[in-house]
Amino acid sequence: MGLALIVHGGAGAMSRDRYEAAREGCRAAAVAGWRILVQGGSALDAVQAAIMALEDNPGFNAGTGAVLTKDGRAQLDAGLMDGATLDIGAVAGVERIKNPIALARSVLASPHVLLMGAGAEEFAVNAGMALCEPGELVTPAQYARWQRGYAAGDDVNIGSQLDVGAGPHSNSNGKSEKAEKAGSAKNGRRSGKVGAQVDAQPVHVDGHKHGTVGAVAVDAAGHTAAGASTGGIAAKHPGRIGDTPLPGCGFCAEDGLGGVSSTGHGEDFIRLLLARRALDFIAAGHSAQAAAIAAIRLLDTRVHGDGGLILLDGAGRVGYARNTQTMAHAFIIEGMDTPFAGV
Ligand code: GLY
């Protein structure tokens, strides 16, 4: 059993000139969570700290810098789960909360599981949290994208291959870039196999940006936690809620099995309860990496969904997989000096 922490910055398409910023944002978030783990802090605290770092980074679709609804508002969702107690806290559709994951954490400590909208914000005030102005969450870049109408090509998902992380000893950075080139070369064809094309269906080009963030940690006591935070999909219908605040869909944790955080087109993750399914693959004897691959394969084949997930098993072993062009991520486990980051 060892300390471990993994974060993601969303699955989807990203121009190559943004790769390093995405890697650096994930690295910084991993360091924020790792500091807590090495000081003996809990997996839950580490997950919250890592996700707050990503929410505060305007380059990711969560907290400040989230994508906007079709009527131009940032409506944020977040949730997290304690694998030791199975306690869950989540919020949906909040518009005046700078760090929705912090509010989700307060909900976790209450008798509630999921609070939405104005009621969640009222709960925040009663818990002593400051509300922000809705406009504080809207960055000039997201406002400009919304004004343009989130045109095709603007962070659209052109998911084209199932790419998998091979764990802490692999160079998934190089692997991902290679896979990205292969995806471009296929020019609109979808492939589905680890490192090889196995089919050729029309690729999903849905015009939505996926940039949900998330984290999973295992602490010194062997406890797991997982969480996620998002602005949802770009130009979403006001009130639309995706997988991110829904336990078993956007996140899941259970001591002994591990933790999962998902990113992608949320409706498909909800249909499959994909985060829980990934843990069920571990329960059935899969390794961390095999469980991540199996879950994304299921997403791909069963509902033709797009996205990715990160995973730690109960012993802190790393797994991740995606069927989109990129999924920014970083992980650090005991024995590593600095996080490994990739897209
Ligand atoms: N995965 C984020 C969403 O669909 O809202």
Side-chain angles (χ1 to χ4, degrees):
M1 188 83 67
L3 304 181
L5 186 129
I6 183 166
V7 306
H8 70 75
M14 187 182 350
S15 60
R16 192 169 283 274
D17 60 3
R18 290 173 52 200
Y19 281 11
E20 185 45 33
R23 281 193 291 255
E24 188 44 43
C26 286
R27 249 183 235 118
V31 166
W34 188 247
R35 275 199 200 109
I36 289 172
L37 290 181
V38 296
Q39 288 166 9
S42 70
L44 203 56
D45 284 341
V47 162
Q48 181 182 339
I51 292 178
M52 284 178 68
L54 292 161
E55 289 177 335
D56 289 343
N57 183 327
F60 295 101
N61 176 19
T64 305
V67 297
L68 306 183
T69 59
K70 71 177 178 187
D71 61 355
R73 292 183 282 163
Q75 287 191 333
L76 308 179
D77 307 328
L80 77 177
M81 182 164 184
D82 182 341
T85 60
L86 306 187
D87 285 336
I88 295 165
V91 295
V94 294
E95 300 186 25
R96 296 187 295 164
I97 304 291
K98 191 169 179 300
N99 290 111
I101 198 70
L103 179 54
R105 178 69 186 274
S106 293
V107 173
L108 181 145
S110 80
H112 311 296
V113 165
L114 171 59
L115 295 177
M116 60 165 277
E121 292 170 2
E122 182 191 324
F123 178 91
V125 171
N126 292 338
M129 287 178 72
L131 299 183
C132 67
E133 289 300 320
E136 289 175 49
L137 302 169
V138 180
T139 59
Q142 287 300 346
Y143 186 67
R145 284 180 177 150
W146 174 76
Q147 277 191 312
R148 285 202 304 271
Y150 289 112
D154 181 9
D155 287 312
V156 297
N157 184 338
I158 52 168
S160 59
Q161 66 277 313
L162 176 60
D163 185 41
V164 299
H169 305 299
S170 72
N171 180 354
S172 82
N173 179 16
K175 178 177 188 147
S176 296
E177 292 192 5
K178 194 168 125 212
E180 191 274 334
K181 277 186 204 144
S184 303
K186 283 196 282 283
N187 190 23
R189 312 298 283 177
R190 161 179 283 247
S191 71
K193 156 93 171 67
V194 182
Q197 185 172 348
V198 293
D199 61 4
Q201 317 251 330
V203 74
H204 296 181
V205 181
D206 59 14
H208 299 310
K209 177 186 178 184
H210 307 313
T212 301
V213 306
V216 182
V218 176
D219 64 25
H223 297 315
T224 55
S229 180
T230 193
I233 56 177
K236 68 185 179 184
H237 192 288
R240 175 268 184 191
I241 294 169
D243 59 319
T244 302
L246 302 183
C249 305
F251 62 94
C252 202
E254 184 172 350
D255 279 9
L257 296 180
V260 179
S261 179
S262 311
T263 165
H265 195 254
E267 282 73 3
D268 293 322
F269 286 75
I270 296 169
R271 286 185 179 100
L272 289 171
L273 299 167
L274 203 73
R276 180 66 224 182
R277 293 250 199 162
L279 287 189
D280 288 344
F281 282 123
I282 291 184
H286 286 56
S287 70
Q289 186 54 31
I293 294 170
I296 293 302
R297 223 187 265 293
L298 190 64
L299 177 75
D300 202 69
T301 56
R302 188 69 182 82
V303 296
H304 304 300
D306 290 320
L309 60 79
I310 56 171
L311 183 154
L312 296 175
D313 72 9
R317 287 183 288 254
V318 172
Y320 52 94
R322 61 175 168 83
N323 67 354
T324 48
Q325 180 194 348
T326 64
M327 180 176 71
H329 60 275
F331 62 81
I332 180 163
I333 61 174
E334 268 186 279
M336 292 170 67
D337 294 331
T338 56
F340 171 85
V343 293

